C-alpha cells in the first residue's frame, strides 16, 4: 500500500474509533429528533466546569490520532503554504465529527453530551496536527521504509496480519475507559488478577477449556515469528512474554475484559509450542512432509474450534429437538443479531471470523507446497470448499447442543474469516517463489 494509503487508512480508522468509542454500548433511549435538537442547542450553558479532568484528558487523546493522520494525508512538500489551509480543513473536519458524535450521544442512554467534550476533542485534533508538523513529517517516511523492509517476507507479513487480528480480538468490544472509578470497579468485580491463580469455582472441563483456549490462541505467534528467521528461540519466547503482557495491560483499560497474569503464562506456553512446531518443520522437511504438517495443523485447529464452540457439550438427542434446531438454522439471516445490541453483534461477528483466519492460512500453506499449475483453480476451489466444510461442521455440531444456537449466518461469517486468511496467506507465500521448492 502506498504511503498516503496508510495515512488515509489511519485517518479513517481513527475517526471511526472516535465515533464508536463515543457511542458504545449503543443503548437507545427513545429520544425524538425534536427533543434532541432542543437539548443540543443549550449544551453550552453547562460550560467547562462540569466533568472530570480524566474525561477531558481522555477526549483530548481520543482525537489526537485523527488530527495526526489527517495532517499527514494532506501534507504537501512542494507547496508549504497549502499546509496551513489544509491544517484548518483537518481541524474543521475533526470539529464537525466531534459535534456530530456529541449530538448522536443524545440518542443513547448511557452517554452524556457535553460542550466540554467538543472543546477537548478539538484540542486533541490540534495537538495531533502539531505533532505531525513538528516530528511526524520527518519520522513517518523513515519508519515507513523500515516497516516495508521488515515486512519483506511472507511469514513476517502473515505475522503482522495475525497480530493485528489478535489485538482486535483481545480488545473487543473496545469499551475503553481510563476513569479511576471504572478501574476500581473492575478490581472489585474480579476482572483484574495480578497473581497467578486458577478459578476455584470451575470444573475440570471448564478449567481445561480455558487453558487450552489461552494456549492455542498464541500458537501462531511462535510459529510465524520463528519461521520468519529473524529471531532465535529465546528471542521468540522473550518477545512473546512482552507482547502478551502488553496485551493484558491494554485489556486493563477495556471495561468488559479480564486482565490476568495466568493468561500471560498460558499464552507464552502456546507461543513456545508454536516455536517448537516451527523447529519440527525446519528446513529439512520436504514438500510432502510440509503438506502433511499443514493439513495436520488445519485439523488440530479445527478440533480446537470444535472444543471452543461446542463447550460445555450438553448433548440432547431427540428428533423433535433436532427438527426445531434445523428450522432455526435456516431461519431469517442475521435474526439473532437483530435482537442483540450493536456492540454484542459486532463483537460476535468479528470473533467468529478471526478464529477461522488460521484455517485459511493453513490451507494456503498446503497449496503453496504443491506446484500444480494446470490444476491451480480446482485446488483453490477445493481449499475453499474445505474451509466452508469446517465452518459448516462447527455450526452443524451445535444442532444437538442445548446451550448453543446454530445459525447459517454464522457459517457465512466463519467462512469469510477463512477466506480472508487464505487470500492474505496466498499473497504472502506468492512473494516467496522459492518457498515451495525447498
Amino acid at each position: 500500500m502506498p504511503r498516503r494509503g496508510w495515512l488515509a487508512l489511519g485517518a479513517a480508522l481513527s475517526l471511526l474509533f472516535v465515533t464508536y468509542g463515543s457511542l458504545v454500548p449503543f443503548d437507545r433511549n427513545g429520544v425524538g429528533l425534536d427533543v434532541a435538537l432542543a437539548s443540543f442547542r443549550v449544551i453550552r450553558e453547562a460550560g467547562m466546569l462540569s466533568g472530570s479532568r480524566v474525561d477531558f484528558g481522555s477526549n483530548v487523546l481520543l482525537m489526537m490520532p485523527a488530527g495526526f493522520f489527517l495532517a499527514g494525508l494532506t501534507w504537501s512538500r512542494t507547496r508549504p503554504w497549502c499546509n496551513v489551509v489544509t491544517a484548518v480543513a483537518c481541524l474543521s473536519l475533526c470539529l464537525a465529527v466531534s459535534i456530530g458524535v456529541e449530538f448522536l450521544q443524545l440518542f443513547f442512554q448511557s452517554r452524556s453530551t457535553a460542550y466540554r467534550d467538543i472543546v477537548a476533542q478539538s484540542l486533541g485534533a490540534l495537538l495531533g496536527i502539531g505533532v505531525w508538523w513538528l516530528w511526524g513529517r520527518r519520522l513517518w517516511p523513515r519508519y515507513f521504509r523500515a516497516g516495508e523492509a521488515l515486512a519483506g517476507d511472507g511469514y513476517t507479513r502473515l505475522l503482522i496480519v495475525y497480530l493485528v487480528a489478535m489485538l482486535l480480538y483481545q480488545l473487543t468490544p473496545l469499551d475503553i475507559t481510563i476513569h479511576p472509578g471504572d478501574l476500581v470497579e473492575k478490581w472489585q468485580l474480579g476482572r483484574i488478577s495480578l497473581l497467578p491463580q486458577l478459578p476455584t469455582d470451575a470444573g475440570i472441563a471448564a478449567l481445561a477449556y480455558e487453558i487450552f483456549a489461552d494456549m492455542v490462541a498464541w500458537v501462531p505467534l511462535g510459529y510465524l515469528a520463528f519461521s520468519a528467521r529473524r529471531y532465535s528461540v529465546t528471542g521468540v519466547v522473550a518477545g512473546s512474554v512482552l507482547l502478551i503482557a502488553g496485551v493484558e495491560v491494554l485489556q486493563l483499560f477495556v471495561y468488559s475484559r479480564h486482565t490476568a497474569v495466568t493468561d500471560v503464562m498460558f499464552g507464552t506456553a502456546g507461543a513456545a509450542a508454536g516455536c517448537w512446531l516451527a523447529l519440527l518443520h525446519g528446513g529439512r522437511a520436504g514438500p510432502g512432509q510440509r503438506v502433511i504438517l499443514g493439513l495436520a495443523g488445519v485439523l488440530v485447529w479445527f478440533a480446537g474450534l470444535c472444543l471452543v464452540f461446542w463447550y460445555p457439550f450438553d448433548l440432547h438427542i431427540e428428533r423433535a429437538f433436532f427438527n426445531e434446531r434445523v428450522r432455526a438454522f435456516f431461519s431469517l439471516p442475521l435474526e439473532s443479531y437483530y435482537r442483540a445490541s450493536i456492540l454484542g453483534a459486532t463483537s460476535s461477528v468479528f470473533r467468529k471470523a478471526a478464529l477461522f483466519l488460521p484455517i485459511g492460512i493453513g490451507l494456503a500453506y498446503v497449496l503453496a507446497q504443491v506446484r500444480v499449475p494446470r490444476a491451480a483453480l480446482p485446488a483453490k476451489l477445493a481449499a475453499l470448499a474445505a474451509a466452508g466444510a469446517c465452518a459448516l461442521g462447527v455450526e452443524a455440531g451445535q444442532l444437538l447442543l442445548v446451550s448453543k444456537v446454530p445459525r447459517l449466518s454464522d457459517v457465512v461469517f466463519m467462512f469469510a474469516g477463512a477466506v480472508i486468511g487464505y487470500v492474505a496467506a496466498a499473497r504472502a507465500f506468492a512473494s516467496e517463489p522459492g518457498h515451495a521448492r525447498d
Side-chain angles (χ1 to χ4, degrees):
M1 185 183 293
R3 190 177 304 172
R4 285 192 180 274
W6 287 109
L7 290 169
L9 179 62
L13 292 178
S14 299
L15 292 175
L16 182 62
F17 182 74
V18 168
T19 305
Y20 179 92
S22 300
L23 302 181
V24 68
F26 303 98
D27 46 348
R28 288 291 305 274
N29 55 14
V31 172
L33 180 61
D34 52 344
V35 176
L37 288 172
S39 301
F40 194 72
R41 293 191 184 100
V42 296
I43 63 169
R44 288 194 60 180
E45 295 181 3
M48 295 291 294
L49 299 179
S50 60
S52 66
R53 295 179 180 179
V54 174
D55 291 336
F56 187 86
S58 61
N59 277 287
V60 171
L61 295 175
L62 187 64
M63 192 63 82
M64 277 188 66
F68 177 85
F69 286 115
L70 285 172
L73 180 62
T74 58
W75 182 262
S76 174
R77 294 181 179 179
T78 58
R79 291 176 292 181
W81 58 271
C82 291
N83 293 325
V84 177
V85 178
T86 56
V88 174
C90 294
L91 182 61
S92 301
L93 176 59
C94 292
L95 176 62
V97 171
S98 178
I99 293 174
V101 166
E102 290 299 314
F103 175 72
L104 290 176
Q105 285 182 341
L106 292 169
F107 298 96
F108 297 98
Q109 184 174 355
S110 60
R111 312 304 300 190
S112 59
T113 300
Y115 175 71
R116 177 189 180 98
D117 295 345
I118 298 177
V119 174
Q121 291 177 9
S122 300
L123 177 60
L126 184 61
L127 290 175
I129 295 172
V131 169
W132 174 267
W133 276 49
L134 293 175
W135 300 289
R137 59 192 178 94
R138 292 192 297 269
L139 296 179
W140 178 265
R142 184 185 309 172
Y143 286 109
F144 185 83
R145 289 191 297 268
E148 284 185 323
L150 180 64
D153 62 276
Y155 281 110
T156 305
R157 292 178 183 177
L158 284 179
L159 179 61
I160 293 173
V161 172
Y162 163 78
L163 289 177
V164 170
M166 195 63 181
L167 183 62
L168 292 175
Y169 173 76
Q170 293 288 339
L171 299 183
T172 53
L174 296 177
D175 46 344
I176 295 175
T177 179
I178 60 174
H179 198 283
D182 293 335
L183 299 180
V184 171
E185 186 175 355
K186 279 193 67 173
W187 175 269
Q188 295 174 343
L189 293 173
R191 295 178 183 172
I192 301 176
S193 301
L194 300 181
L195 296 176
Q197 58 182 0
L198 296 175
T200 57
D201 55 344
I204 296 178
L207 185 59
Y209 165 77
E210 292 293 337
I211 294 175
F212 176 82
D214 288 338
M215 291 182 62
V216 169
W218 292 103
V219 167
L221 171 62
Y223 182 87
L224 294 173
F226 186 80
S227 298
R229 302 177 187 275
R230 294 181 181 274
Y231 312 100
S232 63
V233 175
T234 305
V236 170
V237 175
S240 300
V241 173
L242 295 176
L243 181 64
I244 299 172
V247 171
E248 291 299 314
V249 171
L250 291 177
Q251 286 184 338
L252 180 66
F253 302 101
V254 181
Y255 182 77
S256 59
R257 282 290 189 170
H258 290 72
T259 298
V261 175
T262 50
D263 291 345
V264 180
M265 297 168 55
F266 294 133
T268 303
C275 189
W276 176 72
L277 290 174
L279 280 171
L280 288 181
H281 173 217
R284 297 181 179 180
Q289 294 173 309
R290 292 180 178 181
V291 169
I292 295 175
L293 287 172
L295 290 176
V298 171
L299 292 176
V300 169
W301 191 268
F302 173 69
L305 291 175
C306 291
L307 291 176
V308 169
F309 283 99
W310 294 354
Y311 180 82
F313 312 106
D314 45 352
L315 186 65
H316 182 70
I317 301 177
E318 184 183 354
R319 172 175 288 186
F321 176 77
F322 178 76
N323 292 336
E324 181 183 352
R325 283 304 184 93
V326 172
R327 286 193 296 269
F329 181 78
F330 292 102
S331 61
L332 180 67
L334 304 179
E335 180 182 4
S336 59
Y337 293 97
Y338 293 149
R339 297 175 180 176
S341 64
I342 296 178
L343 176 60
T346 304
S347 300
S348 179
V349 169
F350 178 79
R351 290 178 181 177
K352 287 181 172 65
L355 285 173
F356 270 77
L357 281 172
I359 294 290
I361 294 174
L363 292 172
Y365 175 80
V366 170
L367 290 188
Q369 315 307 316
V370 183
R371 300 177 63 86
V372 282
R374 295 182 180 179
L377 181 58
K380 292 178 181 178
L381 293 177
L384 294 178
C390 290
L392 183 60
V394 168
E395 286 298 301
Q398 297 180 359
L399 290 172
L400 297 176
L401 301 177
V402 177
S403 61
K404 302 299 180 180
V405 183
R407 300 289 184 183
L408 182 60
S409 53
D410 290 343
V411 177
V412 176
F413 296 136
M414 294 172 178
F415 178 68
V419 171
I420 293 173
Y422 175 85
V423 172
R427 291 185 176 181
F429 290 134
S431 66
E432 296 183 342
H435 180 269
R437 297 192 298 267
D438 293 340

